[in-house]
Amino acid sequence: MPDLTDFHTEAELERKRIGVLAAETDPTLEPLLAALQQIYPVLFVQIDAGAMQGIDAAVVLDPGLLAETRRDIPRLVLARAARGGSAPKGDAREGDVRAGGAHEGGAAIATVVLLDDERLPRALRGRSIAEEAACGELESPPAAERAVLASVDRSAVWWQELAADAPLAFSAYPLMRLRAGEALREHLRAGRFMGLLPLVHFLGQVLGDAGWTLPPLRASFVIDDPNLHWPSYGFLAYRELAAHAGEHGYHVGLATIPLDGWLVNRRSAAIVRDNPATLSLLIHGNDHVARELGRLQDDREAQPAIAQALRRIVRLERRTGIAVQRVMAPPHGACSEAALRAMFRLGIEGACISRPYPWRDGLPAPTPLAGWHPAELVAGGLPILPRYPLGHPRDDLALRALLGQPLILYGHHQDFADGLDLFAQAASAVNGLGDVQWGPLGWIARGNYATRQVHGTLHVEMHARRIALEVPADVQTLRVRMREPFGGAAWQRLEASTGDARTAEASESFAMRFDGSAGVSEGRPVAAPASIELRLLADHPLDAALLAPPRPRPWPLLRRALVEGRDRLQPLRHAVELHDRT
């Protein structure tokens, strides 16, 4: 049994010390700073200007204190909150700090233009994102050289001085405060982001290679409901879709209903099977009746339903030769905690839902970090992959990319009544955010982890129940970190296997201990370079083949036949309407 007496790691100890300077100590900052310390390897210290010894960087909340700070360390100067929402003061020339936009209901409505500047992450360059918050008060001496990072109405609201000894940035937006029941993500979204983005960017600058490396950008489209009964479904013809996806460089996951697996058309199965780079299948509920996964309130209800869905999927795989992704897209996004816990115990790799805690709609965020990471661990250890409506404004995608979140856009066949151009347009917008890789949701789930190398130790933070990890050649030791799932962890152990090994004899277990809200493993020697699979084993694993099915009911079959009939007739109705209009 490994020695677990000291789980403090080099990554925990090697933190950058960030001084926070204000006219007086501000206790309302503590929730925000504490949350950021859980994400970044930094330690915030509220200090005065005369106590900067041992400080690696400074955040200046009172611009009047800037002259008293050290010039040899990175500094970020943020505006004071404006009284009555007034504009900050500055000289009257291009690059000034002035409030922009109209006011509606007391909130500033402005468009923040992020400049196409290499100092910004690629996902942000050239973006225009709405901002509700008003600028604050910021007096700044004119600078001969400055790089404007963001502007409102052609006036600078965030910039970096070029002549400074060390990075020196200014933002006209005051630092936000994190209130009880709020999540950080609520302050880094389209509509409200400038109170946090300059600080997040500054921390990235200060940390550099010493920070966490997020997953590369990954993307997929998901279309709910299609099945393999025919080589098309509604407005989507599979052969045409596969060709269009190959031409425009995207991937589509068809979220298929397990109940529909009773009938398979050989041509439709062949199209999906022969085009794995552009088409895949994932699981969409079980029967697809109203809120079917949302109303499963305990294990007795949830386990038979999820097991039946898996048995149906296994039969579909045997008939078609298609490996269906073990990711669940709950119909209408409704899913209970009991259903998610059953998925975890039955081996499903993740669920794809637009909210991190779908059974808590309308309740305060249970943690300030809700929705921040590439996936949210819930129900013992099941990751929730965030998804976003295909037809909605795409402003928030840049911020999702900044956080390393997968870019999963979902819709339905009727969204393509006028052709597949919507796919091409959305794929172009996503690809413009950086070097984006497209693929199926299972592959995306297995890439949800961050790494940080400290000396010869590779620290891995898992946001998945199973990951495929490439260990660089200069690594001698591996440590694994996981945030405790909401409601507690329910895994038996963490196992690692090298290469393609899948047997217990070829695997080794990692002992983990939870310290606060995170579980940390002991260090394990690793012969690098290596390809390693890390996976969580549920404490009470279930075998879908051994669980009795729910009581059979005729309604799901009848309802599904009616809905599918409606979907397949829609193209004909649409064509008639177009003919009548012309």
Side-chain angles (χ1 to χ4, degrees):
M1 189 71 179
D3 181 10
L4 306 183
T5 56
D6 185 7
F7 270 66
H8 290 292
T9 69
E10 299 97 320
E12 295 292 311
L13 297 175
E14 295 203 9
R15 290 176 173 262
K16 298 286 187 180
R17 290 171 58 85
I18 312 294
V20 180
L21 286 79
E24 57 186 24
T25 301
D26 185 354
T28 67
L29 281 173
E30 291 299 332
L32 168 64
L33 302 181
L36 290 172
Q37 286 177 170
Q38 293 185 60
I39 301 169
Y40 301 98
V42 298
L43 178 65
F44 289 102
V45 184
Q46 294 199 53
I47 60 174
D48 57 45
M52 301 194 67
Q53 193 65 29
I55 297 299
D56 298 302
V59 177
V60 184
L61 302 183
D62 187 339
L65 298 175
L66 176 62
E68 303 177 42
T69 61
R70 287 168 45 195
R71 296 186 178 185
D72 63 333
I73 61 173
R75 292 164 293 168
L76 171 64
V77 183
L78 300 173
R80 292 184 298 266
R83 296 179 181 177
S86 62
K89 301 174 183 177
D91 55 8
R93 63 183 181 86
E94 180 65 23
D96 272 358
V97 181
R98 296 196 300 266
H103 283 69
E104 181 179 311
I109 306 299
T111 299
V112 175
V113 178
L114 295 155
L115 278 294
D116 190 0
D117 190 289
E118 63 181 7
R119 296 167 185 81
L120 289 175
R122 183 174 167 185
L124 298 179
R125 297 175 196 170
R127 307 293 160 193
S128 296
I129 306 178
E131 175 58 75
E132 302 165 359
C135 290
E137 296 178 347
L138 179 60
E139 294 185 7
S140 166
E145 294 183 69
R146 67 174 65 182
V148 176
L149 302 180
S151 65
V152 172
D153 292 342
R154 300 179 63 83
S155 297
V157 294
W158 180 23
W159 70 91
Q160 188 165 317
E161 302 291 358
L162 298 179
D165 298 334
L168 173 59
F170 293 81
S171 173
Y173 286 88
L175 184 62
M176 47 76 61
R177 301 297 192 270
L178 190 64
R179 294 174 292 190
E182 276 192 325
L184 274 180
R185 185 68 170 89
E186 296 174 43
H187 295 271
L188 198 69
R189 60 170 175 80
R192 184 170 290 269
F193 66 101
M194 282 301 293
L196 185 57
L197 177 61
L199 177 56
V200 167
H201 179 263
F202 179 70
L203 294 178
Q205 278 189 313
V206 172
L207 289 166
D209 293 339
W212 288 95
T213 299
L214 295 174
L217 292 183
R218 297 141 302 138
S220 187
F221 293 125
V222 172
I223 304 301
D224 291 347
D225 300 343
N227 56 38
L228 301 182
H229 293 178
W230 196 247
S232 64
Y233 188 89
F235 291 98
L236 295 177
Y238 298 154
R239 191 172 299 281
E240 178 188 358
L241 177 58
H244 191 267
E247 178 184 355
H248 293 277
Y250 62 83
H251 185 96
V252 180
L254 305 176
T256 194
I257 302 162
L259 179 65
D260 285 348
W262 66 273
L263 175 64
V264 172
N265 175 275
R266 280 191 285 182
R267 282 189 298 156
S268 60
I271 294 169
V272 176
R273 186 176 58 247
D274 295 344
N275 292 278
T278 54
L279 298 179
S280 61
L281 298 180
L282 62 145
I283 310 169
H284 190 42
N286 183 29
D287 292 331
H288 203 290
V289 296
R291 293 186 58 82
E292 64 172 337
L293 301 188
R295 60 191 184 191
L296 300 174
Q297 294 306 307
D298 56 34
D299 294 345
R300 186 181 58 182
E301 293 179 347
Q303 291 172 4
I306 303 301
Q308 183 181 56
L310 282 172
R311 287 195 300 272
R312 288 169 168 172
I313 288 298
V314 168
R315 287 196 293 270
L316 178 66
E317 290 176 322
R318 289 171 179 166
R319 298 179 67 183
T320 63
I322 299 170
V324 179
Q325 304 295 303
R326 290 304 192 267
V327 176
M328 173 70 76
H332 314 116
C335 199
S336 69
E337 189 176 14
L340 294 166
R341 185 168 53 249
M343 294 177 206
F344 178 66
R345 289 176 173 167
L346 283 159
I348 289 179
E349 290 193 48
C352 188
I353 311 174
S354 58
R355 296 100 59 221
Y357 310 100
W359 70 95
R360 289 178 51 88
D361 288 346
L363 297 176
T367 167
L369 306 187
W372 185 273
H373 294 292
E376 200 77 16
L377 294 180
V378 302
L382 188 81
I384 301 289
L385 306 177
R387 69 180 200 167
Y388 188 79
L390 182 59
H392 281 202
R394 301 187 182 115
D395 292 357
D396 197 59
L397 295 181
L399 299 173
R400 291 173 182 240
L402 179 69
L403 297 175
Q405 296 184 353
L407 305 173
I408 303 171
L409 280 67
Y410 75 96
H412 296 81
H413 77 96
Q414 57 264 35
D415 296 327
F416 306 93
D418 297 322
L420 301 178
D421 285 349
L422 179 58
F423 274 134
Q425 295 164 8
S428 177
V430 170
N431 288 331
L433 297 171
D435 297 323
V436 180
Q437 303 172 41
W438 292 79
L441 263 59
W443 166 78
I444 288 178
R446 291 188 290 277
N448 269 346
Y449 62 88
T451 59
R452 183 180 183 223
Q453 191 167 336
V454 180
H455 308 304
T457 298
L458 183 67
H459 302 268
V460 180
E461 182 164 31
M462 290 178 61
H463 303 289
R465 67 173 304 169
R466 173 186 167 202
I467 67 170
L469 174 68
E470 296 296 326
V471 181
D474 55 346
V475 169
Q476 291 86 44
T477 306
L478 181 67
R479 284 185 183 267
V480 181
R481 172 187 172 92
M482 296 196 69
R483 299 191 179 275
E484 185 173 15
F486 177 68
W491 56 74
Q492 186 181 60
R493 63 186 183 276
L494 175 69
E495 280 197 347
S497 59
T498 304
D500 295 326
R502 294 294 182 271
T503 65
E505 291 77 15
S507 302
E508 59 177 336
S509 296
F510 276 64
M512 298 189 76
R513 188 184 74 182
F514 277 94
D515 181 9
S517 61
V520 184
S521 79
E522 86 278 20
R524 281 296 182 94
V526 59
S531 298
I532 296 179
E533 182 181 274
L534 297 171
R535 57 190 176 275
L536 296 177
L537 301 182
D539 54 0
H540 298 294
L542 298 173
D543 185 342
L546 301 180
L547 293 177
R551 180 172 56 86
R553 297 177 298 151
W555 169 240
L557 277 170
L558 176 60
R559 181 186 183 279
R560 185 63 195 134
L562 293 172
V563 171
E564 182 176 350
R566 177 204 64 191
D567 290 347
R568 293 190 178 278
L569 286 174
Q570 281 188 13
L572 178 60
R573 178 190 298 177
H574 183 69
V576 171
E577 290 174 351
L578 287 178
H579 181 271
D580 290 344
R581 285 200 293 267
T582 57

